């Protein structure tokens, strides 16, 4: 699967770990930066990943900042993006099954890398179930 990943300086470390893990799992990873721990502005990276998801260039996006909050705020302002900030596997699974999330947001300063990897794994393995949930998504997608 083709997946875009982006981070600010607060998420750089976890982004590097997750990009390598995604590659190991056989995914094609588009790394939108940033490329160091030098201070940058998270909206720039959130929007790059959103652009790729919205254009169909990638199937999913993953965004990492210190808390995941700023990334999720920016991403959810974009029409067609459903970004889920998840700190646990259950939320990650449900964000796919019920909310058809197309971007996963994570907090590097909140999660250990092992937990973050498990969240990403659960998120990627879960499928949208549709039905009544599709109707609800349409209610906020116009
Ligand atoms: C950067 O210090 C931090 O504010 C950012 O990574 C993120 O947590 C914002 O939501």
């Amino acid at each position: 699967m083709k997946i875009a990943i982006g981070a600010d300086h607060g998420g750089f470390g976890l982004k590097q770990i997750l990009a390598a893990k995604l590659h190991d799992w056989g995914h094609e990873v588009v790394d939108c930066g940033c490329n160091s721990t030098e201070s940058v502005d998270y909206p720039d990276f959130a929007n790059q990943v959103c652009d790729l998801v919205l254009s169909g260039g990638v199937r999913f996006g993953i965004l990492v900042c210190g808390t995941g909050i700023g990334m999720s705020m920016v991403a959810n302002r974009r029409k067609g993006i459903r970004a889920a900030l998840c700190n646990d596997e259950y939320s990650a699974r449900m964000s796919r099954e019920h909310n058809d999330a197309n971007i996963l947001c994570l907090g590097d300063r909140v999660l250990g890398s092992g937990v973050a990897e498990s969240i990403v794994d659960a998120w990627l393995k879960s499928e949208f179930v549709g039905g009544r949930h599709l109707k609800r998504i349409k209610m906020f997608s116009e």
Side-chain angles (χ1 to χ4, degrees):
M1 188 185 297
K2 203 165 174 181
I3 300 167
I5 191 164
D8 73 352
H9 54 288
F12 172 73
L14 181 57
K15 189 259 289 176
Q16 297 302 102
I17 291 168
L18 292 177
K21 185 58 73 172
L22 289 166
H23 185 262
D24 288 349
W25 289 341
H27 297 292
E28 186 179 346
V29 181
V30 180
D31 187 342
C32 296
C34 65
N35 299 311
S36 76
T37 55
E38 186 182 333
S39 184
V40 291
D41 301 318
Y42 59 81
D44 290 335
F45 302 92
N47 279 317
Q48 281 187 58
V49 169
C50 288
D51 287 343
L52 281 170
V53 172
L54 291 170
S55 70
V58 297
R59 173 67 181 95
F60 288 129
I62 296 175
L63 289 167
V64 192
C65 64
T67 59
I69 295 170
M71 289 296 198
S72 64
M73 287 182 170
V74 175
N76 278 315
R77 291 183 64 84
R78 301 288 302 272
K79 185 173 163 57
I81 294 295
R82 292 174 301 282
L85 171 55
C86 298
N87 292 318
D88 61 272
E89 279 183 49
Y90 176 76
S91 300
R93 184 162 58 80
M94 296 310 286
S95 78
R96 287 288 308 123
E97 290 185 3
H98 286 192
N99 311 111
D100 198 18
N102 49 14
I103 291 194
L104 174 66
C105 299
L106 300 166
D108 191 343
R109 297 171 184 161
V110 180
L111 300 167
S113 61
V115 173
E117 287 170 14
S118 300
I119 289 171
V120 172
D121 184 50
W123 192 72
L124 291 173
K125 285 179 176 161
S126 302
E127 301 267 359
F128 181 48
V129 298
R132 67 188 186 280
H133 301 292
L134 179 59
K135 172 190 164 227
R136 292 166 184 162
I137 285 169
K138 285 180 176 166
M139 288 172 72
F140 65 85
S141 299
E142 297 312 312

